[in-house]
Amino acid sequence: MPKRVLPRCRYTGKGWRPLAARARAWQLYRRFQCSGSVKTAGPDAADSARTAGHVFGRQAPPFFRRGTKLLVPPSEFSNPVKAPTPDETVASSRLPVTLRALRHRNFQLFFSGQLISLVGTWMQNIAQSWLVYRLTGSSLLLGAVGFAAQIPVFLIAPLGGTTADRHNRHRVVIGTQVSSMVLAFILAGLTLTKTVQVWHIFVLASLLGVVNAFDIPARQSFLVDMVGKDDLMNAIALNSSMFNGARIVGPAIAGVLVAGIGEGWCFFANAVSYIAVIIGLLLMRVETPRKLAAAGSQLQHMLEGFQFVKRTGPIRTLLLLLGLVSLVAMPYSVLMPVFADRILKGGARGLGILMGATGVGALLGALTLASRSGLQGLGKWIAISCGGFGVSLILFSFSRNFWLSTALLVPVGFCMMLEMSSSNTLIQAMVPDELRGRVMAVYSMMFMGMAPFGALMAGALADRVGAAVTVALGAIACVGGAILFGMRLPNLRVEARQLILAQASAGGEPSQGMTTRVVD
């Protein structure tokens, strides 16, 4: 009996378009499934059925026969990929590509709660910087507070990574959010009663850093538990979009509140905002991950994560670039109160506007990444965005006009977020599930852990040569790092592609972007 001939095109409402090979494979499977009996298939039906089962997230047919010959043994499909729920299927059909991760109920709850909480977080960040500057007037102490808030991430993040791999990430994230809420209430109480002192801010900032050392690896690893690997890149991009959308709103509100009624109410609003994200987390229905770290000591687990990063060239290079940017370029935000007050004469409202402009650019960068549906070309994006970040900062450091400086901060935020989120996406695509928490702990060390050293250096250097020169020097180093990364990129492509394909195959969810060049 001849093989069934399948149509090569389909009508999409926008014209006739060719069917991809995998779509034809799924169509082949559906025809055999709906027929209600075993049909004769061509010699390539087995491979087509297997491909359809993996790509579309459904169980492929148990076997196909050609006459009486068994082409695919039943054991081939003994561990099918979990099918999407009806709610997720309906939701995905109604959502644009940019928002496809929101078809998952758990991510919807996470997204809505975090959106409210992050607005409060940015309000506290701006208000705390302004409070320290108002109490001391010192650029050095501004950098010192930043150091105290972020150095615990560098020191304790490996322990947080092993915790994320060995324990339920859902519960770890709930615990960190409750702890952050308590610290925000304490700071609000001290400020509103006018008993706050600089050492109080140092202590509370350090304790919040300890909480973040556990929160960041667990929260980054928790994304894949909520959405799966197919929508992981989109979830990372939407998470960054939410973070930077809050960066636009939070500083603007903080600038008005600080100028009008003081910093204490910003801290109180942040504490209350944590209630939203805690409620969202408690409403989730999350399955325990199938792979947790094997038995062993905490030290063995931490060393295993560091060894994996050390021997994996693409991940090691991405993290080194990330650490360089965090060390020399990111401290510009610590010096922003100096730019707003002394250089641009904008005061507290001006600080809110400047930080909001950075947030606009970062939001655009995150949405740009969210609109992508594959990993191809992210390597070039990282190199170009890192260089663009440095060039934009150089121009900003020489500007003395408030609105010109505000405009220059838009590409600063855009390039910064594109580089950070693209690096996060590639790293998570290459790392095994059982090491995800520990590798994201190293990511946290490079992203936030290097920042305190940069903040301290920037504060000390700004006291001697000025904030503008300090920012310009860091930006030049950032451009140099981008050039070196671009030169190394051709040597990293092959290994990166192999890692991504290996993890996609292990998860049983190869996406369309996995079958071509993934780092370009």
Side-chain angles (χ1 to χ4, degrees), residues 93-105:
S93 65
R94 296 177 180 175
L95 290 172
V97 175
T98 306
L99 304 175
R100 60 188 178 276
L102 289 174
R103 67 191 177 97
H104 303 274
R105 176 182 178 273

Side-chain angles (χ1 to χ4, degrees), residues 152-153 155-167 169 172 210-219 221 298 302 437-438 440-442 444:
V153 177
L155 298 176
I156 308 176
L159 182 60
T162 58
T163 301
D165 282 339
R166 296 179 61 154
H167 300 282
R169 295 165 185 165
V172 173
V210 173
V211 173
N212 286 334
F214 289 88
D215 178 70
I216 296 173
R219 184 155 39 88
S221 304
Q298 291 276 6
M302 285 189 283
R438 282 162 285 178
M440 295 315 297
V442 182
S444 304

Side-chain angles (χ1 to χ4, degrees), residues 158-512:
L159 182 60
T162 58
T163 301
D165 282 339
R166 296 179 61 154
H167 300 282
N168 189 308
R169 295 165 185 165
H170 182 210
R171 295 177 182 175
V172 173
V173 174
I174 292 174
T176 58
Q177 297 302 302
V178 172
S179 301
S180 299
M181 179 180 66
V182 171
L183 293 174
F185 272 124
I186 294 173
L187 183 57
L190 290 171
T191 307
L192 290 173
T193 56
K194 301 188 184 301
T195 58
V196 65
Q197 300 180 26
V198 176
W199 72 269
H200 293 148
I201 301 174
F202 272 87
V203 171
L204 291 172
S206 300
L207 291 175
L208 185 60
V210 173
V211 173
N212 286 334
F214 289 88
D215 178 70
I216 296 173
R219 184 155 39 88
Q220 292 291 338
S221 304
F222 187 50
L223 287 176
V224 74
D225 296 337
M226 289 187 286
V227 303
K229 290 185 178 179
D230 278 347
D231 292 329
L232 178 60
M233 180 174 70
N234 186 252
I236 292 172
L238 288 180
N239 191 46
S240 300
S241 303
M242 171 177 54
F243 182 82
N244 292 286
R247 178 186 289 191
I248 300 170
V249 179
I253 298 175
V256 174
L257 291 181
V258 169
I261 57 179
E263 301 89 353
W265 290 107
C266 291
F267 303 145
F268 181 79
N270 178 46
V272 173
S273 71
Y274 279 106
I275 297 175
V277 69
I278 293 171
I279 291 175
L281 289 168
L282 292 174
L283 290 175
M284 288 184 184
R285 297 190 294 268
V286 182
E287 296 180 1
T288 303
R290 291 174 297 176
K291 293 182 180 180
L292 294 177
S297 68
Q298 291 276 6
L299 180 60
Q300 290 174 334
H301 283 194
M302 285 189 283
L303 290 177
E304 185 181 6
F306 284 117
Q307 289 169 356
F308 175 80
V309 171
K310 180 181 178 180
R311 68 174 180 261
T312 309
I315 294 179
R316 182 180 66 248
T317 304
L318 286 170
L319 290 174
L320 287 175
L321 179 65
L322 193 64
L324 175 67
V325 173
S326 298
L327 180 67
V328 301
M330 290 298 291
Y332 84 93
S333 59
V334 176
L335 299 174
M336 200 58 67
V338 180
F339 278 92
D341 187 54
R342 296 181 184 176
I343 298 176
L344 302 175
K345 311 298 182 184
R349 286 189 175 86
L351 176 62
I353 294 173
L354 291 173
M355 297 301 292
T358 306
V360 170
L363 177 61
L364 294 175
L367 290 175
T368 301
L369 183 63
S371 64
R372 291 178 57 97
S373 57
L375 301 176
Q376 183 178 357
L378 279 187
K380 284 184 178 178
W381 280 35
I382 292 171
I384 294 172
S385 58
C386 184
F389 181 37
V391 172
S392 302
L393 272 182
I394 292 173
L395 296 176
F396 170 78
S397 67
F398 287 108
S399 172
R400 295 298 179 269
N401 180 274
F402 179 82
W403 294 111
L404 176 60
S405 297
T406 302
L408 288 171
L409 284 176
V410 174
V412 166
F414 180 88
C415 294
M416 173 194 68
M417 184 48 54
L418 205 57
E419 194 266 336
M420 300 293 179
S421 296
S422 298
S423 299
N424 189 345
T425 299
L426 279 180
I427 290 170
Q428 293 229 43
M430 290 185 281
V431 66
D433 286 340
E434 61 270 20
L435 288 168
R436 190 175 303 277
R438 282 162 285 178
V439 173
M440 295 315 297
V442 182
Y443 172 88
S444 304
M445 293 173 65
M446 295 294 104
F447 179 40
M448 289 191 66
M450 295 301 294
F453 298 102
L456 196 62
M457 292 166 49
L461 189 60
D463 268 351
R464 293 179 176 270
V465 301
V469 175
T470 301
V471 171
L473 291 175
I476 292 172
C478 182
V479 173
I483 294 173
L484 291 176
F485 178 80
M487 294 171 61
R488 290 286 312 277
L489 187 58
N491 298 326
L492 301 174
R493 290 173 180 163
V494 175
E495 185 179 358
R497 181 176 184 273
Q498 292 173 348
L499 287 166
I500 294 173
L501 289 173
Q503 299 314 315
S505 299
E509 299 175 350
S511 62
Q512 293 178 358

